[in-house]
Amino acid sequence: MLPILEVKDLCMDFGGLRALDHINLEVFSDQIVALIGPNGAGKTTFFNCVTGIYEPTHGDILVLSRDDGQRKRINGLKPNKITELGLARTFQNIRLFPNMTVLENVMIGRHTRTRSWIFGALFRDKKTVQEEQETVEVSYNILKKLQLEKYVNEIASNLPYGAQRRLEIARALAAEPSLLLLDEPAAGMNPKETKQLEELILQIKEQERVSILLIEHDMKLVMNISEMVYVVEYGRLLAKGSPREIKEDERVIKAYLGEDHDA
Amino acid sequence: MKGFIRSLQVALWFMFLTFPIMVIKVDIVEKTVQWRWMNLVYVGIGSFVLSFVWRFLMEKKNKGIKAREESRDEKLSFIQKILTEPRYNRPLFLGLLLFVLVFPWMFSTYQTNIMISALLYVVLGLGLNIVVGLAGLLDLGYVAFYAVGAYAYALLNYHFHLGFWTVLPIGGLLAAIFGILLGIPVLRLRGDYLAIVTLGFGEIIRLVLENWDEFSFGPSGISNIPRPGFFGLHLTVEQATIYIYYLVVIMSLITIFVVNRLQNSRLGRAWLALREDEIACEAMGIDRMKTKLAAFALGATWAGFAGVIFAAKTTFINPASFTFMESAIILSIVVLGGMGSIPGVILAAFLMILLPEYLRAFSQYRMLLFGASMVLVMVFRPQGLIPNVRRKYLYGQKQGVR
């Protein structure tokens, strides 16, 4: 079976600095894959390459299209094209549309799933009205799933922090992605919230039949939910394996705790 | 007591600052110097009192912010409540519409003419509102599209004798095409850079019109542009004014209708999202270029329409009507009214155009008042006179979309 996302030999240079150095990674359907590594290892750069914000210097990123099942090379495609293929992401530092309502935020996520344009907006033909109605309903149902329905008409920036994080996931889910990329979803959460997030991610995976690739620093969360863990350090792939293997890997322990750790 | 000393300081400072211009008057003919000490006293007392008022207002404003933070749920202002509640807004709108309809029969041609230009600015303001208010693209050269519309009518009429009604759609279309042509290279830029480039574009269009004599007849402009025809009937100046008045009223209503529909559509949401966060917007699958171009083209279209009507109304145009000042006024209308807010823009357009007309007695202080009022609005109502209210959706039932 083909992986939903396959990254081959990915390199990313910023001037003379090689931020990513021959990274290989695969995500199969219904899989939760984690990407971990110390600060500055290149995890977010990797995300930005995959989602089209940066154009990688070298290598291939292949995505199984959500609609026609064809594999496509997405290097250098614009972010919106990549989202159309079925990749949706959240951001490390929350990037909601702060002055729009919660529901509108999710409705924006439906953009790739709807078609109406100037004509539809002006004349509100039957198709457009139907589409709008569907957008509202689908968005509302997603909010309900993520327990955000009590905030529907609130302005997004007024939400508590944890809810904003969830809203970002809701917005990404609205695009009906086949792969969801979460950039440090548990950042800034307390242990209780992290536990809830853990359940939420598992529940999303089950219900929405979506694969998940996540960057995370919270090791407990990573080890509990992921099936495959990739470790990067200084832009290089250090190790890959099941959570158990990674936990016992000498090099990973070294990278995280330093050379002199023995006592 | 502390306040008293502060105000005293302010008064002294202002007396010092205005001393050279308000007190000393040099008469070069008689070679004498007049010392107008009374002015110094007036400035002192004036700034002393005003600083008290200012402090009082600032305190009130801060209290208001604190109260809003504590209650957390948004409180709609009085005006917003009236506008959103159908119980109040229906009669209000009907009353306004009635007033607008009977206006030319109640007042003189002069008043009607002022009203026409105010309504033209409503159309322009709402058009720019699409670009600046909704899509968040700071366009300082909007007047260029206005000029495109006006010259389209004037030139097509001069060379090919095309009538008003034929040129009206052509003018809009031409402006839209100009919007797209300008947009393609320019819309890669953001924020300040975009503002500078559009400012330049506005000036380029004006300079071309001023200097390319064979094409646009230069600074002397084009005169004898016919007024819009009315089924071939000959109209006197008064009748034509009333006719154009109704035309502009209809045009404004269409603009309001269209902008309202655009704002509450998939495209409108995409514009808002673009204004809020471009990167997140692209990550959600919105084509940045296409969406921005749509905003630019649709915004320009209204300027094109308004331009055609303007040319038909004044029957004479020259490049002097399309200076940066016009762009600035239209932009102030949008900012003053509230970004993205249709009632706000309408109100601001009337204030900005009608007040200077009716305050001709103070015309010397026009720019001073203009600047002062802008500062006051920015300090006390940074969201504009009537801030935009986010639409609330009903869900789960069939009336999901209103």
Side-chain angles (χ1 to χ4, degrees), chain A residues 165-224:
Chain A
R165 284 254 170 233
R166 287 212 300 280
L167 179 54
E168 255 210 324
I169 298 176
R171 189 178 65 179
L173 278 180
E176 294 176 21
S178 48
L179 175 64
L180 186 62
L181 299 109
L182 304 175
D183 196 348
E184 295 200 25
M189 285 187 172
N190 62 33
K192 196 178 140 222
E193 285 171 325
T194 310
K195 192 74 202 153
Q196 283 169 354
L197 180 74
E198 187 183 314
E199 281 157 23
L200 182 71
I201 293 176
L202 288 172
Q203 178 205 329
I204 288 169
K205 186 203 147 195
E206 283 309 312
Q207 288 180 356
E208 313 288 319
R209 316 267 310 147
V210 53
S211 315
I212 291 163
L213 174 61
L214 84 158
I215 293 177
E216 189 46 70
H217 278 301
D218 189 309
M219 281 309 135
K220 214 170 126 206
L221 175 69
V222 169
M223 296 305 168
N224 281 347

Side-chain angles (χ1 to χ4, degrees), chain A residues 122, chain B residues 92-102 115-116 118-124 126-127 244-262 302 305 309 342 346 350:
Chain A
L122 292 189
Chain B
L92 182 77
F93 287 157
L94 276 178
L96 268 181
L97 195 70
L98 205 69
F99 176 71
V100 165
L101 286 180
V102 299
M115 207 58 178
I116 291 173
L119 285 167
L120 267 182
Y121 276 91
V122 169
V123 174
L124 287 168
L126 286 172
I244 294 176
Y245 172 82
Y246 281 119
L247 207 138
V248 183
V249 168
I250 291 168
M251 200 68 206
S252 323
L253 289 177
I254 293 174
T255 319
I256 294 169
F257 175 80
V258 167
V259 174
N260 185 41
R261 282 228 156 159
L262 283 173
W302 295 109
F305 288 148
I309 299 174
I342 296 175
I346 296 170
F350 280 112

Side-chain angles (χ1 to χ4, degrees), chain B residues 48-65:
Chain B
F48 186 76
V49 173
L50 278 181
S51 89
F52 263 103
V53 174
W54 179 261
R55 206 163 327 108
F56 171 73
L57 288 174
M58 284 307 270
E59 250 163 51
K60 209 175 138 201
K61 181 196 162 200
N62 288 339
K63 245 180 235 158
I65 291 172

Side-chain angles (χ1 to χ4, degrees), chain B residues 30-83:
Chain B
E30 310 252 310
K31 300 212 169 129
T32 51
V33 177
Q34 270 180 44
W35 298 87
R36 297 169 297 175
W37 293 108
M38 272 327 270
N39 278 352
L40 192 70
V41 177
Y42 295 145
V43 168
I45 295 172
S47 49
F48 186 76
V49 173
L50 278 181
S51 89
F52 263 103
V53 174
W54 179 261
R55 206 163 327 108
F56 171 73
L57 288 174
M58 284 307 270
E59 250 163 51
K60 209 175 138 201
K61 181 196 162 200
N62 288 339
K63 245 180 235 158
I65 291 172
K66 222 171 266 166
R68 222 175 304 141
E69 270 168 7
E70 273 157 21
S71 67
R72 271 231 13 211
D73 51 17
E74 277 181 290
K75 277 223 181 75
L76 296 177
S77 72
F78 178 65
I79 304 171
Q80 285 170 327
K81 224 179 265 166
I82 289 178
L83 286 173

Side-chain angles (χ1 to χ4, degrees), chain A residues 99 104 111 114 116 133, chain B residues 261 266 276-277 283 390 398:
Chain A
N99 295 316
E104 280 174 321
H111 200 87
T114 43
S116 85
Q133 209 157 6
Chain B
R261 282 228 156 159
R266 175 174 175 267
E276 303 277 300
D277 189 326
R390 294 309 315 136
K398 269 287 155 229

